Amino acid sequence: MPNTKARETTPEARGRITARVPQSLVETLDLAASMVGSTVSQFVAQAALEKAERIIEHERVISMSAQTAAWFFELIDNPPTPTPTLANAMKRYNARKVSSEGSNSAFELGA
């Protein structure tokens, strides 16, 4: 297994982020970084990473009540009979999908 840590620390694997911020923010970040024994760059990168991971997790997770979850899974296990409009739409979709096999063109609505 390759050593990914060594690869990540090569100059080619690094990026740079710069930001102009008020001096008071720089001083606060410097104080916090020194309290945990890191550089300001390390502190800011770690804090930004933690925030980004929280945002990504929040946006990827769908929260629902137990009642809504039960309703949702019931519909998955026992879907309702398709309406005639839905059945016709699926026939048109499948016909277009088959006729455009091997094509990289996007599916066009209303065509």
Side-chain angles (χ1 to χ4, degrees):
M1 186 159 107
N3 184 350
T4 57
K5 183 138 178 97
R7 188 171 22 146
E8 290 172 359
T9 59
T10 62
E12 301 85 42
R14 292 180 176 254
R16 177 174 292 275
I17 298 173
T18 58
R20 296 199 181 277
V21 296
Q23 185 59 35
S24 60
L25 177 56
V26 172
E27 292 165 2
T28 301
L29 293 172
D30 189 43
L31 177 60
S34 67
M35 289 178 164
V36 294
S38 69
T39 66
V40 172
S41 290
Q42 292 167 333
F43 182 84
V44 169
Q46 185 61 40
L49 177 61
E50 289 170 7
K51 177 74 174 188
E53 288 173 341
R54 280 196 308 270
I55 290 170
I56 291 167
E57 181 68 20
H58 180 264
E59 293 299 319
R60 286 186 175 165
V61 173
I62 298 172
S63 299
M64 59 181 79
S65 68
Q67 181 181 5
T68 302
W71 169 80
F72 177 78
F73 288 116
E74 175 62 26
L75 285 175
I76 289 175
D77 290 340
N78 301 300
T81 304
T83 65
T85 303
L86 179 59
N88 288 334
M90 284 303 296
K91 285 179 189 174
R92 288 191 314 273
Y93 169 77
N94 286 327
R96 286 187 184 138
K97 192 168 75 169
V98 169
S99 68
S100 65
E101 268 184 19
S103 167
N104 286 335
S105 62
F107 177 76
E108 295 176 19
L109 294 173

